[in-house]
Amino acid sequence: MHSTTWRAALPLAALLASPRPAPAADLFDPLDVRHVKVEGEIGRRIEVTLRNNLLALDADKDFLQPFRDRNRNDGYIGLGKLIDAAVRFAHLTGDVKALELKKRLVAETLKTQETDGYIGLLKADRRVWTLWDIHEMGYLVYGLATDHRLFGEADSLAGARKLADYVIARWTAEPRRVPGNGQLTVHMAVTGIENAMLALHRQTREAKYLDFVRDVRATREWEAPIVLGRFGTIEGHAYAHLCRCVAQLRLHRLEPDPRLLKPTFDVIAFLLSGDGLTLPGEVGDHECWHNTQEGTLNLGETCATAYLLRWYDEGLRMDGHPALGDLMERSIHNGLFGAQSPDGRRIRYYTPFEGPRSYFHGDTYCCPGNFRRIVPELPGMVYYIADGGLAVNLYTASEATAALPAGVTLKVRQETDYPSSGRVAVVLTPSRPAAFPIRLRIPLWCAKPALTLNGAELDGVALERGTFAVASREWKPGDRLELELPMPARLVRGRKAQAGKAAVVRGPLVYGLNRARHPELKNVDLRLVVIDPATIEGPFPDDTVRPGGTACRVKAWKPGAWYPFAKHDYTLTLTEYADPGCEAIYFKVPNPRDERLVDDELVRE
Ligand SMILES: [Zn+2]
């Protein structure tokens, strides 16, 4: 696929506007996250990730000590990811403890910096070329650069520069040497380095960091075929691939070049038309691209889920395509939140939809670090400035303040229990009556959206699923838009490994079976349970995952039953995907061609 536009690259967008070249300037601009206060489940996850995870870590023992010792032969900790997460949480929340933590982490990390610039955990003779050392240093540069960007800390910028200069000097001095010693493909071994150097370039405006990304890392020329499976040098590493696509999009913003978009469009085509995306918005098996639609043990590395979201956000900024918002909400409410215990403390490396799930054993390493980083970025994906007005991308209880052109300050408040229901009130308070457009994402899953303004029908606003509905008029303080996105449960048809089965989905939420709630299923192979599509009910209140959460019910037959005539054997309660006990989402149905089954609206043949 050689598309040069987002619209052409998103197969589901073929029914939308005609292709046009990627614009030079972004169409959507994010708000400062400090001006977005998010409640609802996204807000709750921010809170529990801060209180019960970030602030509950043993930062000294688990993260800092190895950098003080610097006596290891190999290994990876993820100190840079932790610094980046702490800086973002401190900036987002202004929380005193988060601020203390980030200051201490940065100060203690900078104390470990060698005179040559090195910050790491390896012995002198193992540095740079041993697997993960550049990866570790890249995220340290990134975290320190973030601290400078968000807090103006000069020491952090100085440390980041020294470290980046060390990496560039050592790497370019031996152009034939391969980081990771050829054990893995270089782009995986140094995951994150391009984004780190771009972040540092943004803070310093120094050409050498941009040159490194463009020329040394050949970021424009990276063609990146989708390699399926895990073998050889792990070419098809989903997280590394997405991370590099993000860097390409960021470089494209500075130096537009169609080559920088091609890998992104190839991934989109693979995800949406090549079975690369799974129903809960997760990708990859055992970290690598996969298209079997299996959801066992090693589904969806959490790092890949985090980078999917960041990559969708980059695309949305560039092109404002509403399908990217649909993709975001699918991944956030399922794959991402499923990767964390409901109380926030524990993180998963993989989040399967078939079979039991387990938590990662510790707090260091890639997935816990990338989970902590993406959570404080979520408020930045709720609203965007678009075309002089505001685009509402994610539905969640929240308040935000946006500076619009012509000196208008807009306060916006969403009153909603979304995703429990699809009723969303958007209350607008501009600083003075002013005309500007309000965009509301109408998800592809929503067949019958409705919109009113101050209780009355709103003429001239097209409510078409898969678009942003645009209401353009003069807005007055207190104007209240009420959006109704009915979310009846739908049965989504499985593909490939899930052929002949279906999953219960409502709005963006995927529902699954927690066997612990069903003693009668203790020794039953869930793959042989058959559900009756005529019997889906819900939503019912269910607080297993979150306050105000939901569940659905469906009647089912036991393995071997003479369905569809036999009496039902079970009434299954299906809880939200993030239920830690979820171990099945797809169930057999009597008739795989049942007209009540629908395709996943996010994918296209
Ligand atoms: Zn990971």
Side-chain angles (χ1 to χ4, degrees):
M1 186 155 185
H2 293 269
S3 307
T4 51
T5 73
W6 285 92
R7 279 167 206 283
L10 283 159
L12 34 86
L15 36 123
L16 299 176
S18 55
R20 58 187 169 73
D26 285 353
L27 296 186
F28 277 34
D29 292 314
L31 303 186
D32 181 330
V33 290
R34 289 171 303 178
H35 301 154
V36 186
K37 293 276 170 273
V38 181
E39 295 161 28
E41 180 60 358
I42 296 175
R44 195 190 72 83
R45 292 283 178 174
I46 291 169
E47 184 65 17
V48 296
T49 305
L50 172 62
R51 302 277 157 229
N52 302 343
N53 190 288
L54 183 70
L55 296 176
L57 302 174
D58 190 339
D60 264 283
K61 175 172 150 291
D62 294 338
F63 289 87
L64 290 166
Q65 198 54 43
F67 290 78
R68 294 175 180 135
D69 298 340
R70 297 192 291 289
N71 60 4
R72 298 202 183 179
N73 284 317
D74 51 30
Y76 180 72
I77 297 289
L79 178 59
K81 291 185 172 86
L82 180 66
I83 290 174
D84 190 62
V87 168
R88 286 173 189 280
F89 269 108
H91 176 252
L92 173 68
T93 65
D95 182 85
V96 174
K97 286 188 173 143
L99 275 163
E100 276 171 16
L101 175 66
K102 85 94 184 161
K103 278 189 186 159
R104 204 168 64 79
L105 280 171
V106 168
E108 292 299 310
T109 299
L110 292 177
K111 275 189 210 165
T112 73
Q113 188 160 34
E114 303 264 22
T115 47
D116 64 5
Y118 181 72
I119 305 177
L121 51 142
L122 304 189
K123 288 178 187 163
D125 62 340
R126 304 283 298 170
R127 290 175 190 168
V128 181
W129 306 104
T130 300
L131 195 57
W132 308 135
D133 204 31
I134 291 178
H135 178 55
E136 187 84 72
M137 289 190 279
Y139 275 98
L140 282 160
V141 168
Y142 196 96
L144 293 168
T146 306
D147 194 30
H148 182 261
R149 178 166 66 88
L150 300 180
F151 288 98
E153 296 285 3
D155 290 352
S156 295
L157 186 62
R161 275 187 134 120
K162 240 172 111 179
L163 178 57
D165 293 349
Y166 169 83
V167 172
I168 293 172
R170 290 285 308 264
W171 194 343
T172 52
E174 296 181 77
R176 283 180 211 289
R177 248 179 122 173
V178 183
N181 295 317
Q183 213 176 322
L184 298 171
T185 174
V186 171
H187 85 258
M188 179 188 170
V190 304
T191 301
I193 193 73
E194 296 88 1
N195 285 309
M197 295 296 180
L198 287 172
L200 189 55
H201 167 73
R202 181 174 165 182
Q203 296 310 299
T204 61
R205 292 290 151 203
E206 275 200 55
K208 63 182 171 183
Y209 303 121
L210 188 57
D211 295 345
F212 177 84
V213 175
R214 186 204 314 106
D215 304 329
V216 179
R217 293 298 300 126
T219 299
R220 284 183 310 207
E221 290 80 15
W222 183 59
E223 290 197 1
I226 301 284
V227 177
L228 299 176
R230 186 182 180 91
F231 59 93
T233 55
I234 322 292
E235 280 287 342
H237 194 267
Y239 157 32
H241 199 122
L242 290 164
C243 187
R244 204 126 198 260
C245 285
V246 167
Q248 287 189 313
L249 298 182
R250 290 178 181 170
L251 180 58
H252 180 80
R253 196 173 280 126
L254 299 173
E255 299 181 345
D257 186 322
R259 287 176 292 178
L260 291 165
L261 301 178
K262 184 181 174 293
T264 275
F265 295 148
D266 287 348
V267 175
I268 288 174
F270 170 66
L271 295 186
L272 305 186
S273 306
D275 294 314
L277 185 71
T278 61
L279 193 59
E282 299 174 64
V283 297
D285 184 87
H286 207 345
E287 303 178 353
C288 296
W289 295 124
H290 235 260
N291 62 358
T292 63
Q293 291 291 306
E294 280 174 58
T296 49
L297 203 62
N298 295 333
L299 174 70
E301 186 190 4
T302 300
C303 292
T305 306
Y307 269 87
L308 264 183
L309 289 167
R310 201 169 278 123
W311 176 67
Y312 293 149
D313 172 58
E314 292 291 341
L316 199 52
R317 292 185 198 193
M318 189 180 285
D319 192 75
H321 199 295
L324 294 163
D326 286 21
L327 288 159
M328 269 183 191
E329 67 171 8
R330 182 74 72 75
S331 291
I332 290 170
H333 289 292
N334 300 289
L336 186 71
F337 291 163
Q340 184 184 41
S341 58
D343 71 357
R345 183 62 188 91
R346 308 201 67 188
I347 310 291
R348 301 181 194 286
Y349 202 99
Y350 298 118
T351 308
F353 60 68
E354 184 176 329
R357 296 171 181 168
S358 57
Y359 291 111
F360 188 59
H361 55 76
D363 289 322
T364 65
Y365 222 62
C366 58
C367 288
N370 273 326
F371 186 94
R372 280 180 215 115
R373 293 176 62 230
I374 195 67
V375 168
E377 290 183 48
L378 297 178
M381 303 177 195
V382 178
Y383 303 98
Y384 297 81
I385 304 278
D387 194 18
L390 193 78
V392 183
N393 177 53
L394 296 180
Y395 296 114
T396 177
S398 55
E399 284 187 353
T401 306
L404 301 183
V408 175
T409 303
L410 174 65
K411 283 190 193 304
V412 58
R413 188 172 77 247
Q414 277 189 65
E415 299 169 1
T416 180
D417 63 352
Y418 195 95
S420 296
S421 86
R423 282 181 298 278
V424 184
V426 177
V427 184
L428 303 170
T429 310
S431 48
R432 57 175 166 79
F436 52 84
I438 293 289
R439 284 174 161 71
L440 302 169
R441 183 175 54 85
I442 310 299
L444 276 159
W445 51 256
C446 185
K448 289 178 185 154
L451 181 67
T452 60
L453 172 61
N454 302 326
E457 290 280 310
L458 198 57
D459 291 334
V461 179
L463 295 178
E464 224 179 297
R465 60 171 145 181
T467 69
F468 276 101
V470 185
S472 209
R473 53 182 288 123
E474 186 178 89
W475 302 99
K476 297 184 296 298
D479 273 345
R480 183 181 179 91
L481 286 159
E482 291 193 353
L483 182 63
E484 181 75 37
L485 302 168
M487 10 169 120
R490 59 193 189 276
L491 262 182
V492 174
R493 195 177 283 123
R495 294 167 281 142
K496 292 200 168 167
Q498 310 305 333
K501 296 181 179 180
V504 175
V505 183
R506 268 187 73 244
L509 293 172
V510 176
Y511 289 82
L513 186 106
N514 177 345
R515 201 194 289 262
R517 299 177 66 129
H518 289 282
E520 72 276 27
L521 295 175
K522 192 164 178 241
N523 296 312
V524 172
D525 185 341
L526 298 178
R527 292 174 303 177
L528 303 177
V529 170
V530 181
I531 59 171
D532 184 345
T535 62
I536 302 176
E537 293 181 272
F540 302 101
D542 185 288
D543 291 357
T544 306
V545 173
R546 60 189 175 99
T550 58
C552 293
R553 282 183 210 135
V554 63
K555 292 195 183 339
W557 293 281
K558 67 184 180 186
W562 287 93
Y563 59 77
F565 306 111
K567 211 167 139 275
H568 298 120
D569 298 287
Y570 316 122
T571 300
L572 306 181
T573 295
L574 303 180
T575 45
E576 294 174 6
Y577 188 74
D579 182 341
C582 168
E583 57 176 286
I585 61 170
Y586 285 106
F587 298 93
K588 288 177 76 156
V589 288
N591 174 10
R593 303 178 73 123
D594 194 315
E595 285 180 359
R596 287 166 294 199
L597 272 49
V598 296
D599 288 327
D600 182 350
E601 73 281 356
L602 295 180
V603 306
R604 281 292 181 276
E605 292 299 308

